[in-house]
Amino acid sequence: MVLPFILPLDVNNFKFVIELVLAIIMFFSIKSFFVHKFVLARNIKPMAASVFLNYILFPAILLALAFLLLKNEALLIGYVLIAIVPPAISIIPLCYLSKCNLQVADSSIFVSYLLSLAIIPVTLLALYGKSVEFMLIARVLLVVIILPTIISFIFRRSTASIFSYSKAIVNLCMGILIFVSVQLNRDAFLDFSNPEMIYVYLINFLAIFGTGILVYHFTKQVSGFGNAVNYTLYATQKNTGTSITLALALFNPLVAIPAIIIMVLQFLYFIVFEKIIIRADAKLDHFLQHSFHKPRKR
């Protein structure tokens, strides 16, 4: 995240790398998904709620803020691309770390990615049909979603030594993805004299942190801790790598700016959520439990 700002490089000839590293991330991240057993029928309600949060609530808040505060067409297209992509595949490993409801997370990811294969092309062709090519959209979906998923399924039971380094490989590819993406728009990111850029940071921060924290605290009261963690992840984590790829393949680097900033903020949100919010919530519950259930003196 820091390196692109201190090491300026011309990466215009390396935009193809984004699709490649995103495919690698998808392959290694989704492989473990295929060895789990999950039952869609058993998780219909929480699964539907997760898909609703990721495809309806979060995009609605994000787009409402964007169209209220921004006028730049390229940036607005960038927000539309964020809205239509599926949830981040990183929800699965994040779910392990935060002990959420894994069956619900798995089922929701599966359904969301199936929906994305229709939502992405239909939305793009309906809104920007005159300026985008269907074959380019199909290529992006094939490279970053369909092929990695098929190959992951084929190798789902493989115990090759390379899979011992999955986390390191995914982290390295994420670093390359962020580095190349930021370099393509380096000057725009640092242009704080432009009020629209300040609005982009504000919109993304409010949409992710505001929505995530409110969803967690509300759903915890209704559905319990495990589902609440799952819901806050689906309410904040989008597959922004696909948004960036679509922006560069179909439009121009400026369109990718909202997705790049959201990508960084999504990781920051999870760190804050996992290290601060969950722990503070647990301490508060512990305090309240012991404060109002003190043993009576005889």
Side-chain angles (χ1 to χ4, degrees):
M1 285 188 278
V2 176
L3 197 59
F5 295 104
I6 61 175
L7 183 64
L9 293 174
D10 183 3
V11 295
N12 283 290
N13 294 325
F14 295 94
K15 288 190 283 188
F16 71 92
V17 170
I18 291 179
E19 289 186 39
L20 176 62
V21 297
L22 193 58
I24 295 171
I25 291 169
M26 184 72 174
F27 169 72
F28 281 98
S29 298
I30 206 169
K31 177 180 175 290
S32 59
F33 167 78
F34 289 114
V35 299
H36 300 151
K37 292 183 178 179
F38 61 95
V39 182
L40 291 178
R42 192 182 300 168
N43 300 300
I44 288 292
K45 289 184 178 179
M47 181 186 68
S50 300
V51 175
F52 169 81
L53 290 169
N54 196 266
Y55 266 123
I56 305 296
L57 180 66
F58 180 64
I61 293 170
L62 196 65
L63 291 173
L65 289 170
F67 279 88
L68 180 66
L69 296 174
L70 300 175
K71 295 180 180 179
N72 186 295
E73 185 180 0
L75 295 176
L76 292 174
I77 293 173
Y79 280 106
V80 171
L81 295 182
I82 296 168
I84 64 176
V85 295
I89 197 66
S90 59
I91 284 178
I92 300 301
L94 294 181
C95 205
Y96 276 104
L97 289 172
S98 51
K99 299 178 182 179
C100 81
N101 190 324
L102 282 171
Q103 281 205 347
V104 173
D106 279 355
S107 304
S108 304
I109 282 283
F110 177 75
V111 171
S112 297
Y113 273 80
L114 282 180
L115 289 173
S116 73
L117 298 178
I119 291 173
I120 291 173
V122 169
T123 305
L124 289 176
L125 291 173
L127 294 179
Y128 313 110
K130 294 181 179 179
S131 56
V132 299
E133 295 181 25
F134 174 76
M135 292 308 297
L136 285 177
I137 300 171
R139 188 199 73 193
V140 171
L141 294 178
L142 184 68
V143 171
V144 304
I145 295 179
I146 298 172
L147 283 179
T149 302
I150 293 172
I151 298 171
S152 291
F153 179 77
I154 294 171
F155 286 93
R156 66 191 183 281
R157 302 197 185 281
S158 173
T159 56
S161 59
I162 191 171
F163 294 112
S164 302
Y165 303 96
S166 293
K167 183 178 178 181
I169 293 169
V170 169
N171 283 342
L172 177 62
C173 288
M174 284 300 302
I176 295 170
L177 176 63
I178 293 173
F179 182 84
V180 175
S181 301
V182 173
Q183 286 286 9
L184 291 169
N185 292 285
R186 188 174 180 275
D187 293 337
F189 281 108
L190 299 174
D191 184 14
F192 292 106
S193 62
N194 181 359
E196 294 233 316
M197 276 306 301
I198 297 173
Y199 284 142
V200 169
Y201 283 100
L202 178 63
I203 290 165
N204 293 355
F205 179 82
L206 290 176
I208 291 179
F209 281 80
T211 306
I213 292 170
L214 288 174
V215 165
Y216 170 69
H217 285 293
F218 176 76
T219 57
K220 185 188 172 192
Q221 304 302 319
V222 178
S223 305
F225 174 78
N227 280 328
V229 174
N230 175 73
Y231 290 147
T232 194
L233 291 176
Y234 274 91
T236 57
Q237 306 293 314
K238 278 284 196 176
N239 191 331
T240 48
T242 301
S243 300
I244 293 167
T245 305
L246 288 168
L248 297 178
L250 304 176
F251 300 99
N252 61 70
L254 188 60
V255 175
I257 286 180
I260 299 168
I261 296 174
I262 276 197
M263 179 189 292
V264 174
L265 287 177
Q266 284 178 166
F267 285 106
L268 293 178
Y269 172 76
F270 180 76
I271 292 169
V272 171
F273 176 72
E274 201 266 336
K275 298 294 184 184
I276 299 175
I277 297 173
I278 289 180
R279 294 183 184 184
D281 208 21
K283 288 181 181 179
L284 179 61
D285 287 346
H286 181 78
F287 171 76
L288 293 175
Q289 184 179 2
H290 286 76
S291 296
F292 292 100
H293 294 86
K294 291 181 179 179
R296 294 181 180 179
K297 293 182 180 180
R298 293 183 179 180

PDB file of all heavy atoms in Angstrom, residues 83-102:
ATOM      1  N   ALA A  83     -20.508  -1.922  -7.352  1.00  0.00           N
ATOM      2  CA  ALA A  83     -21.833  -2.400  -6.951  1.00  0.00           C
ATOM      3  C   ALA A  83     -22.179  -3.755  -7.560  1.00  0.00           C
ATOM      4  O   ALA A  83     -22.842  -4.586  -6.922  1.00  0.00           O
ATOM      5  CB  ALA A  83     -22.889  -1.363  -7.332  1.00  0.00           C
ATOM      6  N   ILE A  84     -21.735  -4.006  -8.788  1.00  0.00           N
ATOM      7  CA  ILE A  84     -22.201  -5.204  -9.504  1.00  0.00           C
ATOM      8  C   ILE A  84     -21.290  -6.414  -9.359  1.00  0.00           C
ATOM      9  O   ILE A  84     -21.667  -7.512  -9.777  1.00  0.00           O
ATOM     10  CB  ILE A  84     -22.416  -4.901 -11.004  1.00  0.00           C
ATOM     11  CG1 ILE A  84     -21.085  -4.536 -11.682  1.00  0.00           C
ATOM     12  CG2 ILE A  84     -23.451  -3.817 -11.200  1.00  0.00           C
ATOM     13  CD1 ILE A  84     -21.210  -4.327 -13.196  1.00  0.00           C
ATOM     14  N   VAL A  85     -20.108  -6.252  -8.770  1.00  0.00           N
ATOM     15  CA  VAL A  85     -19.223  -7.417  -8.615  1.00  0.00           C
ATOM     16  C   VAL A  85     -19.628  -8.216  -7.386  1.00  0.00           C
ATOM     17  O   VAL A  85     -20.280  -7.696  -6.471  1.00  0.00           O
ATOM     18  CB  VAL A  85     -17.734  -7.004  -8.515  1.00  0.00           C
ATOM     19  CG1 VAL A  85     -17.266  -6.371  -9.814  1.00  0.00           C
ATOM     20  CG2 VAL A  85     -17.490  -6.101  -7.324  1.00  0.00           C
ATOM     21  N   PRO A  86     -19.261  -9.500  -7.323  1.00  0.00           N
ATOM     22  CA  PRO A  86     -19.635 -10.344  -6.175  1.00  0.00           C
ATOM     23  C   PRO A  86     -18.835  -9.992  -4.933  1.00  0.00           C
ATOM     24  O   PRO A  86     -17.924  -9.157  -4.987  1.00  0.00           O
ATOM     25  CB  PRO A  86     -19.298 -11.750  -6.681  1.00  0.00           C
ATOM     26  CG  PRO A  86     -18.203 -11.544  -7.664  1.00  0.00           C
ATOM     27  CD  PRO A  86     -18.513 -10.240  -8.347  1.00  0.00           C
ATOM     28  N   PRO A  87     -19.141 -10.618  -3.803  1.00  0.00           N
ATOM     29  CA  PRO A  87     -18.353 -10.375  -2.588  1.00  0.00           C
ATOM     30  C   PRO A  87     -16.914 -10.839  -2.756  1.00  0.00           C
ATOM     31  O   PRO A  87     -16.619 -11.694  -3.604  1.00  0.00           O
ATOM     32  CB  PRO A  87     -19.085 -11.198  -1.519  1.00  0.00           C
ATOM     33  CG  PRO A  87     -19.894 -12.188  -2.275  1.00  0.00           C
ATOM     34  CD  PRO A  87     -20.245 -11.542  -3.568  1.00  0.00           C
ATOM     35  N   ALA A  88     -16.032 -10.284  -1.953  1.00  0.00           N
ATOM     36  CA  ALA A  88     -14.618 -10.666  -2.016  1.00  0.00           C
ATOM     37  C   ALA A  88     -14.454 -12.119  -1.601  1.00  0.00           C
ATOM     38  O   ALA A  88     -15.032 -12.563  -0.599  1.00  0.00           O
ATOM     39  CB  ALA A  88     -13.796  -9.759  -1.105  1.00  0.00           C
ATOM     40  N   ILE A  89     -13.658 -12.865  -2.343  1.00  0.00           N
ATOM     41  CA  ILE A  89     -13.403 -14.261  -1.987  1.00  0.00           C
ATOM     42  C   ILE A  89     -12.645 -14.347  -0.671  1.00  0.00           C
ATOM     43  O   ILE A  89     -12.657 -15.373   0.027  1.00  0.00           O
ATOM     44  CB  ILE A  89     -12.617 -14.965  -3.129  1.00  0.00           C
ATOM     45  CG1 ILE A  89     -12.707 -16.488  -2.980  1.00  0.00           C
ATOM     46  CG2 ILE A  89     -11.173 -14.501  -3.172  1.00  0.00           C
ATOM     47  CD1 ILE A  89     -14.082 -17.045  -3.173  1.00  0.00           C
ATOM     48  N   SER A  90     -12.008 -13.229  -0.274  1.00  0.00           N
ATOM     49  CA  SER A  90     -11.271 -13.192   0.997  1.00  0.00           C
ATOM     50  C   SER A  90     -12.197 -13.320   2.204  1.00  0.00           C
ATOM     51  O   SER A  90     -11.726 -13.500   3.326  1.00  0.00           O
ATOM     52  CB  SER A  90     -10.475 -11.885   1.113  1.00  0.00           C
ATOM     53  OG  SER A  90     -11.334 -10.762   1.046  1.00  0.00           O
ATOM     54  N   ILE A  91     -13.517 -13.243   1.976  1.00  0.00           N
ATOM     55  CA  ILE A  91     -14.466 -13.452   3.080  1.00  0.00           C
ATOM     56  C   ILE A  91     -14.248 -14.821   3.719  1.00  0.00           C
ATOM     57  O   ILE A  91     -14.381 -14.970   4.944  1.00  0.00           O
ATOM     58  CB  ILE A  91     -15.921 -13.322   2.573  1.00  0.00           C
ATOM     59  CG1 ILE A  91     -16.272 -11.849   2.373  1.00  0.00           C
ATOM     60  CG2 ILE A  91     -16.917 -13.965   3.548  1.00  0.00           C
ATOM     61  CD1 ILE A  91     -17.663 -11.592   1.841  1.00  0.00           C
ATOM     62  N   ILE A  92     -13.888 -15.826   2.911  1.00  0.00           N
ATOM     63  CA  ILE A  92     -13.704 -17.177   3.455  1.00  0.00           C
ATOM     64  C   ILE A  92     -12.564 -17.228   4.470  1.00  0.00           C
ATOM     65  O   ILE A  92     -12.779 -17.620   5.625  1.00  0.00           O
ATOM     66  CB  ILE A  92     -13.490 -18.205   2.326  1.00  0.00           C
ATOM     67  CG1 ILE A  92     -14.700 -18.222   1.379  1.00  0.00           C
ATOM     68  CG2 ILE A  92     -13.253 -19.595   2.906  1.00  0.00           C
ATOM     69  CD1 ILE A  92     -16.015 -18.547   2.033  1.00  0.00           C
ATOM     70  N   PRO A  93     -11.323 -16.811   4.117  1.00  0.00           N
ATOM     71  CA  PRO A  93     -10.271 -16.818   5.149  1.00  0.00           C
ATOM     72  C   PRO A  93     -10.541 -15.832   6.279  1.00  0.00           C
ATOM     73  O   PRO A  93     -10.200 -16.102   7.437  1.00  0.00           O
ATOM     74  CB  PRO A  93      -8.998 -16.426   4.373  1.00  0.00           C
ATOM     75  CG  PRO A  93      -9.469 -15.809   3.101  1.00  0.00           C
ATOM     76  CD  PRO A  93     -10.763 -16.477   2.787  1.00  0.00           C
ATOM     77  N   LEU A  94     -11.174 -14.690   5.985  1.00  0.00           N
ATOM     78  CA  LEU A  94     -11.501 -13.737   7.043  1.00  0.00           C
ATOM     79  C   LEU A  94     -12.516 -14.339   8.011  1.00  0.00           C
ATOM     80  O   LEU A  94     -12.485 -14.075   9.208  1.00  0.00           O
ATOM     81  CB  LEU A  94     -12.060 -12.438   6.445  1.00  0.00           C
ATOM     82  CG  LEU A  94     -11.106 -11.592   5.597  1.00  0.00           C
ATOM     83  CD1 LEU A  94     -11.809 -10.335   5.091  1.00  0.00           C
ATOM     84  CD2 LEU A  94      -9.855 -11.217   6.378  1.00  0.00           C
ATOM     85  N   CYS A  95     -13.392 -15.162   7.473  1.00  0.00           N
ATOM     86  CA  CYS A  95     -14.405 -15.825   8.294  1.00  0.00           C
ATOM     87  C   CYS A  95     -13.738 -16.793   9.278  1.00  0.00           C
ATOM     88  O   CYS A  95     -14.135 -16.885  10.438  1.00  0.00           O
ATOM     89  CB  CYS A  95     -15.386 -16.560   7.392  1.00  0.00           C
ATOM     90  SG  CYS A  95     -17.002 -16.811   8.131  1.00  0.00           S
ATOM     91  N   TYR A  96     -12.718 -17.503   8.810  1.00  0.00           N
ATOM     92  CA  TYR A  96     -11.977 -18.387   9.705  1.00  0.00           C
ATOM     93  C   TYR A  96     -11.344 -17.594  10.845  1.00  0.00           C
ATOM     94  O   TYR A  96     -11.386 -17.992  12.000  1.00  0.00           O
ATOM     95  CB  TYR A  96     -10.874 -19.120   8.930  1.00  0.00           C
ATOM     96  CG  TYR A  96     -11.335 -20.353   8.207  1.00  0.00           C
ATOM     97  CD1 TYR A  96     -11.526 -20.345   6.828  1.00  0.00           C
ATOM     98  CD2 TYR A  96     -11.574 -21.534   8.903  1.00  0.00           C
ATOM     99  CE1 TYR A  96     -11.954 -21.470   6.160  1.00  0.00           C
ATOM    100  CE2 TYR A  96     -12.002 -22.679   8.227  1.00  0.00           C
ATOM    101  CZ  TYR A  96     -12.185 -22.637   6.862  1.00  0.00           C
ATOM    102  OH  TYR A  96     -12.609 -23.763   6.200  1.00  0.00           O
ATOM    103  N   LEU A  97     -10.743 -16.467  10.495  1.00  0.00           N
ATOM    104  CA  LEU A  97     -10.038 -15.663  11.496  1.00  0.00           C
ATOM    105  C   LEU A  97     -10.979 -15.101  12.551  1.00  0.00           C
ATOM    106  O   LEU A  97     -10.613 -14.961  13.712  1.00  0.00           O
ATOM    107  CB  LEU A  97      -9.294 -14.508  10.809  1.00  0.00           C
ATOM    108  CG  LEU A  97      -8.071 -14.887   9.969  1.00  0.00           C
ATOM    109  CD1 LEU A  97      -7.560 -13.679   9.208  1.00  0.00           C
ATOM    110  CD2 LEU A  97      -6.973 -15.455  10.860  1.00  0.00           C
ATOM    111  N   SER A  98     -12.192 -14.737  12.140  1.00  0.00           N
ATOM    112  CA  SER A  98     -13.121 -14.078  13.060  1.00  0.00           C
ATOM    113  C   SER A  98     -14.213 -15.003  13.588  1.00  0.00           C
ATOM    114  O   SER A  98     -15.113 -14.569  14.285  1.00  0.00           O
ATOM    115  CB  SER A  98     -13.766 -12.876  12.364  1.00  0.00           C
ATOM    116  OG  SER A  98     -14.312 -13.256  11.116  1.00  0.00           O
ATOM    117  N   LYS A  99     -14.128 -16.307  13.255  1.00  0.00           N
ATOM    118  CA  LYS A  99     -15.040 -17.324  13.790  1.00  0.00           C
ATOM    119  C   LYS A  99     -16.502 -17.019  13.476  1.00  0.00           C
ATOM    120  O   LYS A  99     -17.360 -17.063  14.357  1.00  0.00           O
ATOM    121  CB  LYS A  99     -14.836 -17.464  15.302  1.00  0.00           C
ATOM    122  CG  LYS A  99     -13.432 -17.897  15.687  1.00  0.00           C
ATOM    123  CD  LYS A  99     -13.263 -17.969  17.177  1.00  0.00           C
ATOM    124  CE  LYS A  99     -11.837 -18.366  17.546  1.00  0.00           C
ATOM    125  NZ  LYS A  99     -11.633 -18.420  19.014  1.00  0.00           N
ATOM    126  N   CYS A 100     -16.768 -16.716  12.217  1.00  0.00           N
ATOM    127  CA  CYS A 100     -18.156 -16.473  11.829  1.00  0.00           C
ATOM    128  C   CYS A 100     -18.815 -17.792  11.437  1.00  0.00           C
ATOM    129  O   CYS A 100     -18.213 -18.856  11.561  1.00  0.00           O
ATOM    130  CB  CYS A 100     -18.233 -15.456  10.693  1.00  0.00           C
ATOM    131  SG  CYS A 100     -17.919 -16.148   9.049  1.00  0.00           S
ATOM    132  N   ASN A 101     -20.041 -17.714  10.947  1.00  0.00           N
ATOM    133  CA  ASN A 101     -20.779 -18.907  10.534  1.00  0.00           C
ATOM    134  C   ASN A 101     -20.270 -19.344   9.160  1.00  0.00           C
ATOM    135  O   ASN A 101     -20.639 -18.794   8.134  1.00  0.00           O
ATOM    136  CB  ASN A 101     -22.280 -18.604  10.476  1.00  0.00           C
ATOM    137  CG  ASN A 101     -23.112 -19.855  10.291  1.00  0.00           C
ATOM    138  OD1 ASN A 101     -22.719 -20.785   9.598  1.00  0.00           O
ATOM    139  ND2 ASN A 101     -24.273 -19.879  10.919  1.00  0.00           N
ATOM    140  N   LEU A 102     -19.411 -20.379   9.135  1.00  0.00           N
ATOM    141  CA  LEU A 102     -18.732 -20.790   7.900  1.00  0.00           C
ATOM    142  C   LEU A 102     -19.686 -21.352   6.857  1.00  0.00           C
ATOM    143  O   LEU A 102     -19.516 -21.113   5.662  1.00  0.00           O
ATOM    144  CB  LEU A 102     -17.653 -21.826   8.227  1.00  0.00           C
ATOM    145  CG  LEU A 102     -16.351 -21.282   8.818  1.00  0.00           C
ATOM    146  CD1 LEU A 102     -15.476 -22.418   9.283  1.00  0.00           C
ATOM    147  CD2 LEU A 102     -15.619 -20.435   7.801  1.00  0.00           C
TER     148      LEU A 102
END
